[in-house]
Amino acid sequence: MMAIRSAEVSTRKLAIAADHAGAALKAALLNELQTIAPDWEGIDLGGDGSDLTDDYPDASRAVAELMQRGGAERGLLICGSGIGVTIAANKFNGIRASIAHDPASAEQGVVHDAMNVLSLGAKVIDPATAATVLAAFLTATPSDAERFVRRTSKVQQIEKEQG
């Protein structure tokens, strides 16, 4: 007799990359991802810290392009401050990246602004705090409240106009 299996939980994909300064924090968070967010699978797109040419624009490009192709639902980018990866990531259509170094900001970024990429500064945040921020980012969902939908639609319109 064949056992009936319960519905399998679908794994969500998180694209992760870092520059040379963010490599150690990236490795720590990847190591803890199943504890932080068991329904998420990390896709490591590089930045191991062994080479100073692991530049932040390359990390941002890797995450953004995978997300644009539908290979990941959300992204995590890490550099020294979080600023460089954020600036570069926001150059890509459909990417809404922001720095968050506390759980409340990470959650609000998703709920209010449909943030889909979290940026962290490895020189700014410790690994334990980074894990709580990542958990808040991954468990939050964008609100369907009219005011938030209206605002994110306006952002999308600006993106289309800038082409």
Side-chain angles (χ1 to χ4, degrees):
M1 179 186 262
M2 183 188 289
I4 299 173
R5 294 174 50 183
S6 61
E8 291 189 31
V9 176
S10 110
T11 303
R12 300 167 78 182
K13 307 286 189 206
L14 175 68
I16 306 170
D19 72 355
H20 62 279
L25 181 57
K26 180 192 74 145
L29 292 173
L30 269 169
N31 190 48
E32 294 296 319
L33 185 60
Q34 287 305 298
T35 302
I36 295 166
D39 56 335
W40 286 86
E41 174 188 341
I43 302 169
D44 186 351
L45 298 176
D48 66 5
S50 65
D51 187 348
L52 290 179
T53 63
D54 282 342
D55 293 331
Y56 71 84
D58 301 326
S60 297
R61 177 184 295 278
V63 166
E65 289 181 346
L66 183 64
M67 290 176 67
Q68 286 177 324
R69 290 191 307 269
E73 182 179 338
R74 293 198 187 164
L76 173 63
L77 289 165
I78 308 168
C79 67
S81 67
I83 295 169
V85 289
T86 303
I87 291 170
N90 281 320
K91 300 298 180 185
F92 291 85
N93 288 336
I95 300 302
R96 293 174 305 280
S98 185
I99 299 171
H101 288 132
D102 63 87
S105 297
E107 180 181 9
Q108 182 172 326
V110 175
V111 174
H112 290 201
D113 307 307
M115 178 175 79
N116 58 8
V117 175
L118 172 64
S119 301
L120 298 173
K123 295 179 181 179
V124 178
I125 191 169
D126 64 90
T129 304
T132 63
V133 172
L134 180 58
F137 170 69
L138 293 176
T139 57
T141 56
S143 174
D144 59 0
E146 187 276 331
R147 69 184 188 273
F148 301 127
V149 172
R150 181 183 70 243
R151 293 169 187 159
T152 56
S153 293
K154 288 180 179 183
V155 171
Q156 290 171 330
Q157 183 59 41
I158 292 169
E159 190 174 68
K160 286 180 188 175
E161 290 168 2
Q162 296 301 307

